[in-house]
């Protein structure tokens, strides 16, 4: 096979939805359709649609990107390019709880790295990974605007301030149960 | 809305700290209880920003009695609804009786502060437009639309001397004048609420505490240079600001401040809210516009300036949240009133956020021209824990570090520029003498590296090379000539980068080299980190006085500590990751860094 053909084949394979991919699940696909229908008429709709899908479905897989691009009648690269540019978009589902550690200046100088070490030890995964039970995904993040309570972390939509390694353990234990 | 009366109002604090303690559960419980007793039409539940006792949160205040309840649980809610709302007596168990505690982020102003931008924050209910109107809100809009021509509005802003609060300090009136001169039937005004500088949160507080002041400023700006459509670009990290803005927009529309024929003057204006997706560079104006257009947030060269060809190629003005929030005050009180505050070249007040090693962290608003020393020692109460002052970092990742001997510099755009730093959005991070300046430089370069959009070579590759050199120095592998190499690379990046991100990226490096060169040299020549921070240059050791409590061994993430109960423990330096957790958990101060 010529390399170009091979690329086409590989690409087509990557875009083929697995059976649990949101575009292959009727109820989720209906949600995606509704989001697209609501925002598509607005100018600059790609970001609006992706933001909404990311927050409602939790990720934007490659088959989803393909689906969105076709619906919007734009090149796939314009969707993929946006997804890879902004840190809020993920292509794989996160764990049940997203735990993000602020690495802004104020948090960094007040010991954010210690919190990360502790969380990695406790959960047994590295930054950017999800625990095998899919309960937690831990990631770094940018300043949360809670700098006067540094070091800060955010779990889902809740900011926790004035952390110590011990306090992180307490916080994570609390979310483990829910 | 105006014709609904409630016998009680419950304010529920939605500060991050209260949310963390379960304010959402309290809200659910309250709604459930109110429903169960058929009180939904009589009792009004309002979500507010910080009420002030968040360390004992979640908390609510019940009006008209003005009773504060703290330490709430869903069970407590049941009791409070029963006792307070049904039986009319105070539920003593959860009553807050201490002295009213101050909002720790925004305290009562000290002698050197003036509150203009922050005047309403924490005072009015941001989710009720009537509170804003009662405090002369939208009066400036009425004055501008009914009594002034667009030209007169621009003149007032010009004469006031207002300069952009987003960082560069460009005169706002001038910008509007450019846009007014453009012949185009479509123009846009964008409010930059991307506030990406780590350590800065002043825009968030305005949006959460006084959103209508920003909206009013936008309509006035639109009127002044002929825009009928506005966009607010708010970062996704601020969910509460987004929610408050949505409510404010809806209410302002209901009251006829947005839409067609505003105040019967024939002027049409509307605003749409757009949310970012976590990219620092989107605070840069051309990147921000690309993002609103739904593309990757990559900056483009200027000219053409946005005022000539901006969003979708149309003349566009981008102003910071605080710039816009100043506008209604200027229109209402006049340019002369505004111009009397501040210095010769920089008028008005500026909000700053203080973070790091000072006694009172949080948000302040001071007249421009105040010295850094006054800010650090008078307003913020000096360095905490009795340590010494080392440096103050201004202007975020594109700013610089300013040492003790320059603290008497009056704060304004020119002075900070002369020190190799910038005003930025006003984030100030104070560092005590346990901070390593080489490590701080490395930290900022790491940030820039991560956030560089990658479009231009000097920024993408240049900052990577700088980061590699700094990483080497911090690891103890610094070489003779590294400092000169850093300076050279900085010069090229500064001159060759496409946007403000790259052009400002060398500032943290150049200022730390300039003011803390000896510290770089200690790392490179003596392989020593004087502040004992850089992991490659320090070791942890347990003193012989260790009572063997085993706490450190249990807490060590790398299992580098061994020892038996009641015997002195030892750290295996090969396994030790130098995270410092052992030191924080040791109750006997027997662990030292060397
Ligand atoms: C990398 C970068 C990030 C920026 N981030 C912000 C920001 O978060 N908020 C802001 O108002 N301006 C930011 N600016 C400045 C804007 O480009 C622009 O100058 C400003 O919004 C203009 O508004 P003003 O005239 O009211 O200050 C940033 C600039 C650069 C180069
Ligand atoms: S630096 Fe962490 S919240 Fe601002």
């Amino acid at each position: 096979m010529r390399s170009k053909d091979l690329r086409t084949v590989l690409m087509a394979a990557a875009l083929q939805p697995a059976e649990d991919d949101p575009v292959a699940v009727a109820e989720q696909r209906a949600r995606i359709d509704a989001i697209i229908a609501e925002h598509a008429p607005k100018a600059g709709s790609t970001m609006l649609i992706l933001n909404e899908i990311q927050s409602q479905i939790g990720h934007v897989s490659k088959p989803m990107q393909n689906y969105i691009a076709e619906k919007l009648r734009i090149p796939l690269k314009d969707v993929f390019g946006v997804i890879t540019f902004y840190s809020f978009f993920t292509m794989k589902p996160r764990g049940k709880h997203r735990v993000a550690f602020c690495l802004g200046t104020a948090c960094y100088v007040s010991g954010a790295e210690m919190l990360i070490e502790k969380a990695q030890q406790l959960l047994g995964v590295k930054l950017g990974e999800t625990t095998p039970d899919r309960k937690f995904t831990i990631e770094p993040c940018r300043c949360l605007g809670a700098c006067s309570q540094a070091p800060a972390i955010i779990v889902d939509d809740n900011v926790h301030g004035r952390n110590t390694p011990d306090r992180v353990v307490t916080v994570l234990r609390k979310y483990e149960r829910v | 809305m105006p014709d609904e009366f409630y016998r009680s109002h419950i304010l529920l604090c939605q500060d991050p700290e209260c949310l963390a303690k379960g304010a959402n559960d309290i809200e659910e419980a309250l709604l459930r209880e109110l429903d169960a007793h058929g009180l939904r039409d009589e009792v009004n539940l309002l979500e507010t920003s910080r009420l002030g006792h968040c360390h004992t949160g979640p908390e609510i205040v019940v009006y008209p009695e003005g009773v504060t309840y703290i330490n709430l649980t869903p069970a407590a809610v049941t009791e409070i609804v029963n006792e307070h709302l049904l039986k009319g007596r105070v539920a003593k168990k959860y009553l807050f009786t201490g002295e009213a505690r101050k909002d720790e982020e925004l305290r009562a102003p000290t002698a050197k502060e003036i509150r203009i931008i922050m005047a309403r924050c924490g005072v009015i209910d941001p989710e009720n437009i009537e509170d804003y109107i009662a405090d002369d809100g939208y009066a400036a809009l009425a004055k501008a639309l009914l009594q002034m021509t667009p030209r007169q509005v621009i003149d007032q802003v010009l004469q006031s001397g207002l300069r952009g609060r987003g960082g560069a300090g460009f005169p706002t009136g001038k910008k509007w004048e450019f846009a007014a001169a453009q012949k185009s039937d479509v123009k846009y005004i964008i409010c930059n609420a991307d506030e990406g500088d780590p350590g800065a949160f002043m825009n968030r507080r305005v949006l959460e505490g006084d959103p209508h002041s920003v909206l009013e400023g936008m309509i006035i700006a639109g009127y002044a240079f002929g825009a009928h459509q506005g966009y607010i670009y708010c970062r996704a990290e601020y969910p509460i600001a987004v929610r408050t803005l949505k409510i404010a927009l809806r209410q302002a529309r209901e009251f006829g401040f947005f839409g067609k024929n505003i105040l019967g003057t024939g002027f049409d204006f509307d605003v749409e809210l757009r949310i970012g997706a976590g990219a620092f560079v989107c605070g840069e104006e051309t990147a921000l516009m690309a993002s609103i257009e739904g593309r990757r947030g990559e900056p483009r060269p200027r000219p053409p300036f946005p005022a000539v060809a901006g969003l979708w190629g149309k003349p566009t003005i981008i102003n910071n949240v605080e710039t816009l929030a100043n506008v209604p005050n200027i229109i209402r009180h006049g340019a002369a009133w505004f111009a009397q505050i501040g210095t010769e070249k920089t008028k008005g007040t500026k909000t700053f956020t203080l973070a790091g090693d000072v006694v009172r962290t949080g948000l302040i608003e001071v007249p421009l021209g105040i010295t850094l020393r006054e800010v650090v020692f008078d307003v913020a109460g000096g360095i905490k824990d009795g340590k010494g002052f080392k440096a103050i970092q201004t202007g975020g990742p594109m700013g610089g570090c300013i040492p003790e001997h320059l603290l008497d510099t009056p704060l304004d755009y020119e002075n900070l520029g002369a020190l190799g730093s910038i005003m930025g959005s006003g984030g100030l991070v104070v560092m005590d003498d346990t901070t390593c300046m080489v490590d701080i430089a490395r930290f900022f370069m790491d940030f820039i590296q991560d956030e560089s959009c990658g479009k231009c070579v000097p920024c993408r590759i240049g900052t990577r090379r700088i980061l590699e050199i700094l990483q080497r120095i911090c690891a103890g592998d610094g070489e003779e000539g590294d400092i000169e190499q850093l300076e050279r690379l900085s010069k090229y990046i500064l001159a060759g980068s496409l946007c403000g991100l790259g052009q400002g990226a060398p500032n943290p490096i150049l200022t730390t080299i300039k003011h803390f060169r000896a510290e770089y040299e200690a790392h490179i020549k003596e392989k020593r980190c004087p502040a004992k921070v850089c992991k490659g240059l320090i070791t942890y050791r347990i003193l012989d006085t260790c009572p063997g409590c085993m706490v450190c061994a249990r807490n060590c993430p790398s299992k580098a500590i061994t020892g038996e109960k009641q015997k002195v423990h030892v750290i295996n330096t090969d396994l030790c990751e130098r995270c410092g957790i052992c030191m924080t958990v040791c109750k006997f101060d027997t662990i030292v860094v060397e």
Side-chain angles (χ1 to χ4, degrees):
Chain A
M1 223 186 296
R2 290 210 329 271
S3 72
K4 190 162 172 227
D5 301 335
L6 181 64
R7 237 182 301 155
T8 320
V9 171
L10 287 176
M11 175 121 142
L15 297 178
Q16 201 57 45
E19 61 187 72
D20 61 345
D21 190 276
V23 288
V25 181
E27 181 243 343
Q28 300 214 38
R29 195 174 61 224
R31 253 162 80 190
I32 297 174
D33 287 341
I35 294 169
I36 296 176
E38 186 192 338
H39 295 288
K42 293 187 200 149
S45 60
T46 319
M47 274 281 280
L48 288 169
I49 290 167
L50 293 177
N51 252 333
E52 204 53 43
I53 290 179
Q54 172 74 41
S55 55
Q56 288 194 26
I57 311 253
H59 71 293
V60 194
S61 65
K62 282 197 180 141
M64 286 159 86
Q65 295 169 28
N66 194 36
Y67 186 77
I68 297 164
E70 276 176 8
K71 282 257 165 176
L72 293 177
R73 307 184 68 79
I74 57 174
L76 176 57
K77 75 147 175 62
D78 286 353
V79 177
F80 182 74
V82 168
I83 298 277
T84 50
F85 187 84
Y86 298 94
S87 62
F88 261 49
F89 300 125
T90 49
M91 295 204 236
K92 286 199 197 112
R94 288 189 169 105
K96 188 155 175 234
H97 300 291
R98 169 181 180 257
V99 185
F101 295 80
C102 173
L103 284 179
T105 325
C107 293
Y108 180 75
V109 297
S110 8
E113 287 193 314
M114 270 200 281
L115 309 183
I116 297 174
E117 294 269 358
K118 190 75 201 180
Q120 289 179 341
Q121 175 202 16
L122 187 76
L123 301 175
V125 288
K126 290 258 172 276
L127 222 49
E129 295 176 353
T130 302
T131 53
D133 62 0
R134 306 212 63 79
K135 274 244 155 106
F136 293 103
T137 300
I138 54 172
E139 352 184 293
C141 73
R142 290 290 170 238
C143 174
L144 296 165
C147 330
S148 58
Q149 298 167 49
I153 67 172
I154 184 165
V155 188
D156 306 331
D157 259 348
N158 300 330
V159 175
H160 298 251
R162 298 216 180 83
N163 290 293
T164 56
D166 270 351
R167 179 132 192 255
V168 168
V169 176
T170 322
V171 170
L172 292 182
R173 290 251 156 82
K174 192 180 126 198
Y175 284 93
E176 202 162 27
R177 287 194 298 267
V178 287
Chain B
M1 289 190 26
D3 48 27
E4 284 173 27
F5 288 102
Y6 294 101
R7 74 176 164 95
S8 292
H9 296 266
I10 301 178
L11 306 191
L12 173 70
C13 177
Q14 293 275 315
D15 173 272
E17 206 171 335
C18 273
L19 281 175
K21 288 179 173 152
N24 286 336
D25 299 341
I26 300 304
E27 177 169 9
E28 268 173 39
L30 270 167
L31 291 175
R32 204 170 45 235
E33 287 297 322
L34 292 179
D35 274 337
H37 297 289
L39 291 172
R40 273 296 269 281
D41 297 334
E42 291 176 43
V43 180
N44 185 19
L45 180 60
L46 290 163
E47 296 170 359
T48 70
S49 55
R50 200 173 183 93
L51 287 170
H53 312 97
C54 303
H55 63 302
T56 48
E59 68 170 319
I60 58 171
V61 183
V62 187
Y63 285 104
E65 298 84 4
V67 175
T68 301
Y69 292 114
I70 53 171
N71 285 326
L72 298 180
T73 56
V77 170
T78 311
E79 202 175 321
I80 290 167
V81 170
N82 252 314
E83 287 289 304
H84 192 126
L85 296 175
L86 288 176
K87 298 189 184 143
R89 16 178 229 236
V90 171
K92 291 228 175 58
K93 202 157 137 201
Y94 307 99
L95 181 65
F96 173 72
T97 49
E99 199 172 308
R101 204 177 129 115
K102 319 255 166 12
D103 176 342
E104 277 183 33
E105 233 172 54
L106 183 65
R107 296 162 211 263
T110 56
K112 302 214 157 145
E113 286 181 71
I114 305 178
R115 293 272 161 90
I116 297 174
I117 293 292
M118 292 292 152
R120 295 195 191 89
C121 291
V123 178
I124 64 165
D125 174 4
E127 297 189 4
N128 185 350
I129 191 171
E130 287 173 47
D131 265 30
Y132 181 69
I133 295 172
D135 193 26
D136 290 331
Y138 290 107
L141 177 69
K143 183 172 171 187
L145 291 189
L146 298 169
Q147 298 172 9
M148 297 166 79
T149 62
R151 181 69 235 179
Q152 284 171 328
V153 173
I154 294 182
D155 282 338
Q156 282 292 305
V157 175
L158 266 175
Q159 283 160 24
S160 73
L162 175 65
R163 298 172 64 174
R165 300 296 193 236
F170 194 83
T172 307
K174 274 239 176 68
K175 226 163 151 170
W176 293 9
E177 211 172 22
F178 287 145
Q182 300 301 316
K183 304 241 174 314
S184 169
D185 45 351
V186 180
K187 296 179 189 175
Y188 298 107
I189 164 89
I190 299 175
C191 169
N192 188 343
D194 198 45
E195 193 163 65
D197 286 1
F201 53 86
M202 56 284 288
N203 289 174
R204 167 172 76 74
R205 278 304 294 245
V206 174
L207 295 171
E208 287 175 7
D210 192 12
H212 288 285
S213 65
V214 182
L215 299 181
E216 188 178 2
M218 283 184 85
I219 312 171
I220 296 174
Y223 175 69
F225 66 83
H228 300 285
Q229 176 68 45
Y231 287 94
I232 302 175
Y233 188 87
C234 185
R235 69 199 291 249
E237 288 88 343
Y238 289 174
I240 299 174
V242 168
R243 202 195 54 197
T244 318
L245 271 172
K246 280 188 181 153
I247 295 170
L249 274 169
R250 198 191 63 227
Q251 294 184 348
R253 222 171 262 138
E254 280 168 13
F255 272 69
F257 297 124
F258 286 105
K260 296 246 174 278
N261 193 17
I262 296 169
L263 303 180
T265 57
F267 178 65
D268 305 338
F269 189 82
D270 218 323
V271 161
E272 217 184 282
L273 181 62
R274 292 292 170 102
I275 318 292
F280 174 72
V281 73
C282 284
E284 198 278 341
E285 51 191 24
T286 58
L288 190 154
M289 292 187 301
S291 185
I292 293 184
E293 290 173 5
R295 294 185 285 120
R296 290 164 72 89
E298 288 172 356
R300 62 156 176 80
R302 297 169 303 177
F305 286 93
V308 178
L311 198 59
W312 289 296
K314 303 293 181 192
T316 304
I317 288 298
I318 295 151
N319 276 134
N320 170 261
V321 168
E322 192 176 333
T323 315
L324 290 166
N326 267 308
V327 170
N329 286 314
I330 292 171
I331 298 299
R332 222 170 67 222
H333 303 297
W337 164 83
F338 188 80
Q340 62 170 5
I341 310 164
T343 65
E344 178 68 36
K345 285 200 179 138
T346 326
K347 305 296 185 192
T349 60
K350 173 85 194 79
T351 54
F352 291 97
T353 49
L354 279 153
D357 305 319
V358 280
V359 176
R360 285 189 290 275
T361 56
L363 185 52
I364 61 168
E365 182 173 355
V366 287
L368 282 156
I370 192 171
T371 66
L372 281 167
R373 191 180 300 280
E374 287 173 289
V375 168
V376 175
F377 291 96
D378 299 344
V379 180
I383 305 296
K384 66 178 181 201
D385 302 334
K387 293 194 181 131
F389 174 91
K390 183 152 186 183
I392 180 164
Q393 208 276 337
T394 76
M398 288 98 69
C401 292
I402 297 169
E404 163 104 45
H405 72 273
L406 294 172
L407 277 185
D408 290 311
T409 311
L411 266 170
D412 70 12
Y413 297 95
E414 278 73 24
N415 284 334
L416 285 177
L419 295 181
S421 185
I422 56 167
M423 181 86 86
S425 43
L428 303 175
V429 182
V430 180
M431 301 168 195
D432 68 19
D433 48 20
T434 61
T435 320
C436 169
M437 299 317 283
V438 186
D439 182 57
I440 288 296
R442 187 198 55 76
F443 165 77
F444 279 118
M445 208 33 72
D446 203 39
F447 181 96
I448 296 280
Q449 235 318 276
D450 218 38
E451 294 294 343
S452 167
C453 78
K455 184 165 170 175
C456 73
V457 176
C459 177
R460 182 182 69 233
I461 300 176
T463 59
R464 160 119 304 193
R465 290 291 97 83
I466 288 198
L467 177 64
E468 284 163 3
I469 296 176
L470 289 170
Q471 281 169 339
R472 223 166 12 77
I473 297 177
C474 289
D477 299 323
E479 293 162 9
E480 202 74 42
D482 274 347
I483 299 181
E484 292 69 25
Q485 177 71 345
L486 287 173
E487 287 174 330
R488 209 165 26 243
L489 278 168
S490 293
K491 206 168 81 195
Y492 298 152
I493 296 170
L494 204 142
S497 293
L498 175 62
C499 85
L501 182 77
Q503 289 156 11
N507 286 344
I509 316 295
L510 292 175
T511 51
T512 46
I513 292 182
K514 183 162 173 207
H515 301 302
F516 302 94
R517 198 179 183 104
E519 209 163 328
Y520 277 86
E521 283 168 352
H523 281 74
I524 296 170
K525 294 190 183 137
E526 302 162 34
K527 309 288 175 221
R528 184 172 67 82
C529 174
K532 300 192 176 133
V533 173
C534 292
K535 289 181 181 166
L537 298 172
I538 54 171
T539 46
Y540 284 83
R541 188 167 64 86
I542 300 179
L543 299 175
D544 293 343
T545 45
C546 165
C549 72
M550 303 186 66
V551 167
C552 58
R554 239 180 293 126
N555 277 282
C556 176
S558 345
K559 310 234 174 317
I561 305 182
T562 46
E564 290 165 38
K565 210 169 173 162
Q566 295 183 359
K567 296 245 171 67
V568 176
H569 285 38
V570 275
I571 300 179
N572 179 341
T573 36
D574 292 337
L575 291 178
C576 174
E577 296 270 353
R578 278 100 174 142
C579 70
I581 289 180
C582 53
M583 246 175 120
T584 65
V585 296
C586 177
K587 294 189 180 63
F588 306 97
D589 289 334
T590 53
I591 304 182
V592 290
V593 202
E594 297 174 328

